[in-house]
Amino acid sequence: AQSVTQLDSHVSVSEGTPVLLRCNYSSSYSPSLFWYVQHPNKGLQLLLKYTSAATLVKGINGFEAEFKKSETSFHLTKPSAHMSDAAEYFCVVSPYNQGGKLIFGQGTELSVKP
Amino acid sequence: GAGVSQSPSNKVTEKGKDVELRCDPISGHTALYWYRQRLGQGLEFLIYFQGNSAPDKSGLPSDRFSAERTGESVSTLTIQRTQQEDSAVYLCASSNSGHQETQYFGPGTRLLVL
């Protein structure tokens, strides 16, 4: 069965410091992996996606993620946090040959302190 | 262009009543998905429509849940005899096709069953 595990339910950083949100996946085949962000009272927005091209994926707002098959990880990083980055982040897998349905992790709440 | 829209934005109902939730996908998108997000949780897949193919209903939690889609347009999710555990945000997403395509999410319908 395909699944994703977000290792931290809550991460707190200071503005200007690096962000690391951890995600491990389980998949029998090469999956498609995504990170989505959900700001309070706003819809889900795609940050970035991996679809078996380059293993280092760059997304919007300075975020990037690296697909590491040997570690079954897809951690999300950003060099310098901004106050506007405070939100809920979801690591998502789209299993192979299941029509594109998404399996979401439980989410990581990112807090950014001034 | 217009994004995915959902109505109503909020719905309060009494236990045992039926509710109908509506989703208008992005024009031209052949794939449509319904997800449920309980408080503090990630999204759970409910059902997936792709063109004229039979829908993937594997995520529907019980036979009280059903969904329809007319062609490649509007979809409705119906919950019969609502229970308190049905309280959640119901999100709709659409994409150009299926696997690996970016899904664009609507703002959701917040359902509260009293």
Side-chain angles (χ1 to χ4, degrees):
Chain A
Q2 331 286 340
S3 65
V4 287
T5 302
Q6 292 184 244
L7 300 171
D8 306 291
S9 58
H10 185 257
V11 170
S12 181
V13 301
S14 296
E15 190 174 22
T17 64
V19 175
L20 170 64
L21 305 183
R22 298 182 295 165
C23 172
N24 287 103
Y25 70 91
S26 169
S27 179
S28 302
Y29 302 96
S30 293
S32 293
L33 292 159
F34 307 77
W35 277 96
Y36 278 84
V37 61
Q38 188 174 39
H39 286 94
N41 299 316
K42 291 189 177 180
L44 279 160
Q45 182 182 22
L46 179 69
L47 275 179
L48 51 82
K49 67 178 180 180
Y50 166 77
T51 56
S52 74
T55 57
L56 182 62
V57 183
K58 294 187 183 297
I60 62 172
N61 301 333
F63 284 93
E64 61 183 38
E66 186 171 7
F67 173 73
K68 292 187 176 180
K69 187 174 182 179
S70 61
E71 299 176 10
T72 61
S73 69
F74 191 58
H75 302 333
L76 182 70
T77 60
K78 182 174 181 178
S80 176
H82 191 272
M83 295 297 291
S84 62
D85 295 328
E88 188 87 15
Y89 291 80
F90 293 98
C91 182
V92 182
V93 64
S94 180
Y96 176 77
N97 206 25
Q98 291 194 33
K101 73 181 184 186
L102 301 180
I103 297 174
F104 280 72
Q106 292 298 296
T108 298
E109 183 182 356
L110 176 65
S111 300
V112 182
K113 298 175 290 187
Chain B
V4 177
S5 61
Q6 293 185 244
S7 62
S9 54
N10 290 280
K11 176 72 176 179
V12 181
T13 190
E14 294 178 348
K15 177 181 173 182
K17 301 281 190 182
D18 297 352
V19 295
E20 192 172 277
L21 312 179
R22 176 188 170 105
C23 172
D24 284 88
I26 292 172
S27 178
H29 279 187
T30 60
L32 186 147
Y33 305 79
W34 282 98
Y35 297 88
R36 175 172 70 178
Q37 185 177 25
R38 290 191 164 124
L39 188 64
Q41 303 285 319
L43 277 68
E44 306 168 69
F45 166 78
L46 295 177
I47 188 169
Y48 157 55
F49 296 90
Q50 172 63 61
N52 295 319
S53 302
D56 176 352
K57 303 180 182 180
S58 60
L60 295 178
S62 78
D63 59 8
R64 296 186 295 106
F65 288 71
S66 63
E68 292 183 349
R69 186 183 188 194
T70 306
E72 295 183 354
S73 60
V74 172
S75 175
T76 55
L77 176 69
T78 301
I79 308 173
Q80 296 178 307
R81 305 181 302 282
T82 52
Q83 304 294 311
Q84 288 182 331
E85 61 263 28
D86 299 334
S87 297
V89 177
Y90 290 83
L91 289 147
C92 174
S94 71
S95 70
N96 271 323
S97 60
H99 186 55
Q100 297 191 351
E101 292 291 329
T102 298
Q103 293 184 25
Y104 296 87
F105 283 81
T109 294
R110 188 175 300 274
L111 175 66
L112 178 62
V113 182
L114 300 176

